[in-house]
Amino acid sequence: MDYKDTLLLPTTEFAMRGNLINNEPKRYASWDEKKVYEKMKANRKDAKSFTLHDGPPYANGNTHIGHALNKILKDIIIKHNYFNGKSVRFTPGWDCHGLPIEQQVEKKVGGKQKKELLGAAKVRELCRAHASEFVNIQREEFKKLGIIADWENPYVTMDYKFEANIYRTLCNVAKKGLLIERSKPVFWSWAERTALAEAEVEYEDKEDYSIFIAFELSDDAKAKLSIDSKAALVIWTTTPWTIPANTGISLNPDEEYVLTTTGYIVAKKLLESLKEQGILGGDIAKTFHAKEFENLLALNPLNGRTSRIVLGEHVLVENGTGCVHTAPGHGEDDYRIGLVYDLEVVMPVDETGCYDNTLVRDGLIPNAEEFVGRHIFKSNEDIIALMGESVIHVSKFKHSYPHCWRSHTPLIFRATKQWFISVDGTPSGEDKTLRQIALDEVEKTLFYPQSGKNRLRSMVENRPDWCISRQRDWGVPIAFFRVKATGEVLLDEKVLNFTAMVFEMHGSDAWYSMPTEQLLYPGAGYSADELEKVTDILDVWFDSGSTWYSVLKSRNYDAGEYQADLYVEGSDQHRGWFQSSMFLSAAIEHKAPYKGVLTHGFTVDEKGEKMSKSKGNVVAPEKVLKEYGSEILRLWVASSDYQGDLKISQGILRQTAENYRKLRNTFRIMLANINDLKAITPYEEMGELDKWILSEAKEVFDAVHKSFSGYNFVNGMNLLNNFIVNELSGIYIDITKDSLYCDGKNDAKRNASQSAMAIIAKSLLGLIAPILTYTADEIVENAPAIIKGDKEDIFDFVYESIEDVKSEFNVDYMFAARESFYEKVDALKKEKIIKNTLELVLYTESKTALKMDKTEAEDWFVVSGVIEGETSEELGTFSVDGDTFIIAKATKAKCPRCWKYQSENEESTCPRCSKVLNA
């Protein structure tokens, strides 16, 4: 007889191979058709809410692996909260304004000059079309990653209503008294002809001059200091091109300064260092306190103009000379000290980084006409030469220097009239400054990882006033009217509201395409010809920083609640989006826009190197999808430690795919084993091995769930993988095969093991659903009724923890016994004494082993008997806690059905199998 047909072999429609590449797109398309996002909302209608506010990617190119990491991580977090029973919202967004898009349009039309001929309105039209194209491209690419979101109603910063709300945010900042316009030095990109904010500045190495210049004291100054010989303050600078704009020399108010016998004045603490470097010689002729120099004059050796000596806390005596060249038009510290002493702000540099006619008008350089129109960086050598012997020492050195984040050209500090948010101003109705409100809110915010708190706090503590104006075409205009006669800006609430209403109907393009008559509130009190438009646009960080207002508070989107529970972005956003969002929310609402902030690292290759096309180490999401499928990419995200940089390569993806295969096949065998289970066996009726695996599963799953809830996915996945490979798959599923295949269909022992697997599978399903949603949904589709019930798909499930199970199974003892047994078995197999452990029986007096159900003890060791007593036919022995186990060959015959050596002869079945067959 062929007994195979009598076995209850596992059966399931859930395929061993996922065929993800072909099957994922079909299932994702069906989710779209079934409107799964709307279903998720309906399923949790009255549940506690969870809002993750999406930081907008830039609509200017295809998605890269960093985008995939970011969006998948957000999707996993949202789904974890969903499968935890919460009502979730995920409104994806795009940043659509700004320089990169304008640069792309510039290239398309043939350069800056041709772009300028088109006019602002046409340029904006082309920019809008470019951004719109990539919003659609990126949306489809994100969908392919299995990300479920409100894709039909995303927020797009160039939408008319959105632009109106960005503008309203600006107006609210103005109402709080924090918006100021002033001429102040800012980071200026001469290559892009616009101001930049701190977040748009990158630091790269640059070679510069190191130059020491003598500024002779005026005769009046020498007389007041009782000096009757040569006496010159020595300044040190790395920017000779700023010497024409010098109007002051700053000294440290608490230091002593010395006049040397060679006629030079420097900080006393620095004299020896300067002598050692060969820059100065001589001895101390006279000592002064810094305050003796205050408001005296020195002479600029380049142009003979006077330079006022001032005292400033910013002057350090760690290097240089202790005498700091001060040009208020070219530096933040210079500007601040200039305000204190009313120093003239000289600005002879135009928007392209070239000297302008101010040089000629104010006599700032000899032969000034030769320098007009020349780039400042190409003028250093000639300026040094013109100062002649006043230049004491010249050398070159490399140092870290601010560069434009887009053009990668060196920046300059340039005083221009700009709009700022006053970080140290006090919002009306508050008694704290904006900076202090933001710092207090940082302390209240949860950070993942915790180190993010220090990073954001440091950024908030040290940032200067936020320059929010840009001199470009593509952005939301700072749409204010200025009175021509007085220069006053109209901030009348009705005028501002009318402009916002126009933007909501026609978009901010109206500022460029419509005449002032149509844009001006009829009751403004001014005629159109009395006013002029402000033409600056807003910094793109203002756009993204105000998304909490436009998305969470405007009611234009069903996007969740303000404050958001979580913001999730790369670690570079401490200086970008996290900070800009914080300042705007703190300014208007006096609190942070988020309760928690999660940051992740960047994607690198397996050597930890940055990805670049030239290195050939770029891993594109599209390529991963074609080769492995999105589930593997999602599992890679969950299995990587995002707190640092995340490595990805072919080798890493192959290992991830192998881990996926193990997880999938574990589910497959569990589904197959429970295919005919009709009811769950109560815990108290289960065997000790079933209780043991449920107890283990509960402990592990609870720990995994706790890790996932703290967004520590890598720790949770490690715990889960270890449990699946070792206890669940490696032991339990293996040792229950005999009962599942060979016992009767309704045998209590078999049903108990099936029940344990069903409970584990159902709980595990809810645990992995946020990460492997496609696979979880496929499992539900193929799951028996005992798991699926009346549920339609995975989105009808909620994670269910396993109930507490009391097991008397002595884990430590029995694991030690099993390990010792298999050490002996390995030797017996090598010596070819046995081929299979079922050929063996164990003899022992162990009360721990013998108190177990007889068949469970056999299952644990996978032998044909665990017998009380001793035998002389031993093949080996081992001991556990003083108990001896004797390994012996089974004396009975091999059952042709179950292969246990428990039959009277090889032709007949064992008692258990005979009973099943006769039934």
Side-chain angles (χ1 to χ4, degrees), residues 39 54 93 321 378 534 584 629 640 646 651 724 764-765 808-809 813 876 880 905:
K39 174 178 179 168
D54 189 27
T321 65
K378 294 179 180 176
V534 172
L584 289 179
S640 301
L646 291 84
I724 288 168
L764 182 56
L765 188 61
E808 294 181 13
F809 183 72
Y813 182 96
V880 181
N905 56 66

Side-chain angles (χ1 to χ4, degrees), residues 146-417:
I147 292 157
I148 296 174
D150 195 356
W151 294 117
E152 292 182 17
N153 305 291
Y155 76 82
V156 177
T157 60
M158 65 181 180
D159 284 351
Y160 292 175
K161 285 183 178 180
F162 205 101
E163 289 186 328
N165 278 324
I166 293 171
Y167 177 68
R168 288 186 179 107
T169 308
L170 173 68
C171 296
N172 285 332
V173 172
K175 286 175 196 171
K176 291 287 182 178
L178 297 170
L179 186 65
I180 51 177
E181 186 188 22
R182 64 169 183 245
S183 184
K184 179 180 181 292
V186 293
F187 281 119
W188 184 269
S189 172
W190 48 268
E192 302 301 339
R193 303 186 191 184
T194 186
L196 297 182
E198 290 274 326
E200 298 170 302
V201 178
E202 293 180 347
Y203 286 82
E204 300 175 21
D205 282 348
K206 179 178 184 288
E207 186 177 65
D208 271 321
Y209 283 95
S210 170
I211 179 170
F212 293 81
I213 310 167
F215 279 57
E216 187 76 19
L217 287 175
S218 68
D219 291 342
D220 186 48
K222 288 179 185 177
K224 286 182 179 176
L225 295 169
S226 303
I227 300 173
D228 54 10
S229 59
K230 172 188 172 185
L233 290 165
V234 180
I235 67 101
W236 172 65
T237 184
T238 61
T239 54
W241 61 268
T242 62
I243 296 297
N246 173 281
T247 55
I249 298 172
S250 300
L251 309 185
N252 185 305
D254 301 318
E255 294 296 324
E256 288 187 326
Y257 285 77
V258 294
L259 171 66
T260 66
T261 52
T262 52
Y264 297 114
I265 298 168
V266 294
K268 185 176 182 180
K269 285 180 181 175
L270 290 165
L271 178 59
E272 286 307 313
S273 169
L274 290 164
K275 286 166 75 173
E276 286 170 13
Q277 294 173 65
I279 295 165
L280 290 184
D283 299 314
I284 297 175
K286 200 167 184 179
T287 302
F288 303 91
H289 194 277
K291 289 179 181 173
E292 296 178 62
F293 289 94
E294 187 174 20
N295 285 317
L296 300 181
L297 300 177
L299 302 175
N300 187 329
L302 181 65
N303 53 31
R305 287 164 59 96
T306 57
S307 184
R308 183 175 299 280
I309 303 170
V310 298
L311 305 180
E313 300 287 348
H314 68 286
V315 179
L316 304 177
V317 286
E318 293 167 0
N319 53 31
T321 65
C323 309
V324 174
H325 153 54
T326 302
H330 287 304
E332 178 75 22
D333 289 332
D334 303 42
Y335 175 76
R336 285 178 179 173
I337 200 68
L339 289 177
V340 175
Y341 285 93
D342 196 25
L343 297 180
E344 182 185 0
V345 178
V346 176
M347 179 40 57
V349 181
D350 70 13
E351 63 180 11
T352 66
C354 296
Y355 284 122
D356 65 18
N357 204 54
T358 309
L359 291 181
V360 179
R361 186 192 70 200
D362 295 348
L364 301 181
I365 299 181
N367 308 317
E369 294 85 354
E370 296 176 15
F371 286 85
V372 175
R374 191 196 295 185
H375 198 280
I376 51 174
F377 292 157
K378 294 179 180 176
S379 304
N380 283 325
E381 289 82 357
D382 288 341
I383 287 172
I384 292 169
L386 285 169
M387 288 187 285
E389 292 182 0
S390 295
V391 177
I392 298 169
H393 184 84
V394 179
S395 61
K396 282 191 171 184
F397 76 118
K398 273 193 174 181
H399 64 143
S400 181
Y401 187 87
H403 283 66
C404 175
W405 69 321
R406 291 295 178 188
S407 62
H408 297 286
T409 50
L411 299 175
I412 59 175
F413 259 105
R414 177 173 178 264
T416 58
K417 206 164 192 181

Side-chain angles (χ1 to χ4, degrees), residues 332-614:
E332 178 75 22
D333 289 332
D334 303 42
Y335 175 76
R336 285 178 179 173
I337 200 68
L339 289 177
V340 175
Y341 285 93
D342 196 25
L343 297 180
E344 182 185 0
V345 178
V346 176
M347 179 40 57
V349 181
D350 70 13
E351 63 180 11
T352 66
C354 296
Y355 284 122
D356 65 18
N357 204 54
T358 309
L359 291 181
V360 179
R361 186 192 70 200
D362 295 348
L364 301 181
I365 299 181
N367 308 317
E369 294 85 354
E370 296 176 15
F371 286 85
V372 175
R374 191 196 295 185
H375 198 280
I376 51 174
F377 292 157
K378 294 179 180 176
S379 304
N380 283 325
E381 289 82 357
D382 288 341
I383 287 172
I384 292 169
L386 285 169
M387 288 187 285
E389 292 182 0
S390 295
V391 177
I392 298 169
H393 184 84
V394 179
S395 61
K396 282 191 171 184
F397 76 118
K398 273 193 174 181
H399 64 143
S400 181
Y401 187 87
H403 283 66
C404 175
W405 69 321
R406 291 295 178 188
S407 62
H408 297 286
T409 50
L411 299 175
I412 59 175
F413 259 105
R414 177 173 178 264
T416 58
K417 206 164 192 181
Q418 301 289 345
W419 292 91
F420 296 87
I421 292 176
S422 174
V423 176
D424 291 309
T426 304
S428 58
E430 273 290 310
D431 54 6
K432 294 178 188 172
T433 66
L434 175 55
R435 190 191 304 276
Q436 191 55 56
I437 294 168
L439 285 170
D440 289 349
E441 289 301 300
V442 169
E443 292 307 310
K444 296 175 189 174
T445 303
L446 295 170
F447 286 86
Y448 310 89
Q450 183 63 25
S451 57
K453 175 172 279 190
N454 294 335
R455 289 196 65 184
L456 187 55
R457 186 198 298 118
S458 174
M459 298 288 177
V460 172
E461 279 175 343
N462 297 309
R463 77 153 299 143
D465 286 346
W466 179 5
C467 176
I468 60 166
S469 48
R470 297 290 179 272
Q471 291 66 50
R472 303 293 302 190
D473 291 325
W474 181 228
V476 175
I478 298 177
F480 297 146
F481 291 108
R482 194 188 301 278
V483 181
K484 290 177 184 175
T486 63
E488 175 198 357
V489 172
L490 289 187
L491 293 177
D492 179 271
E493 191 166 349
K494 290 180 180 176
V495 173
L496 301 180
N497 287 344
F498 188 81
T499 304
M501 186 181 69
V502 172
F503 284 6
E504 193 155 312
M505 293 170 65
H506 304 286
S508 67
D509 294 342
W511 192 248
Y512 302 88
S513 60
M514 289 170 65
T516 300
E517 289 85 351
Q518 288 178 258
L519 292 164
L520 183 63
Y521 173 63
Y526 289 90
S527 63
D529 58 3
E530 291 179 278
L531 304 172
E532 62 185 5
K533 297 175 187 175
V534 172
T535 56
D536 294 340
I537 63 166
L538 281 167
D539 170 17
V540 75
W541 289 106
F542 190 100
D543 286 22
S544 58
S546 65
T547 55
W548 58 269
Y549 179 87
S550 303
V551 178
L552 301 181
K553 286 190 72 83
S554 71
R555 298 184 182 177
N556 289 337
Y557 305 89
D558 181 12
E561 298 178 358
Y562 171 87
Q563 302 160 296
D565 291 283
L566 199 65
Y567 274 31
V568 177
E569 294 304 324
S571 54
D572 58 331
Q573 295 306 322
H574 290 108
R575 67 199 292 261
W577 191 54
F578 298 143
Q579 188 186 169
S580 63
S581 301
M582 170 67 89
F583 274 113
L584 289 179
S585 184
I588 298 168
E589 299 293 334
H590 308 163
K591 62 182 179 181
Y594 38 69
K595 297 173 186 173
V597 165
L598 184 147
T599 50
H600 59 77
F602 301 102
T603 51
V604 293
D605 69 12
E606 59 193 340
K607 295 176 185 173
E609 293 180 5
K610 189 177 178 182
M611 293 186 185
S612 69
K613 288 180 182 176
S614 60

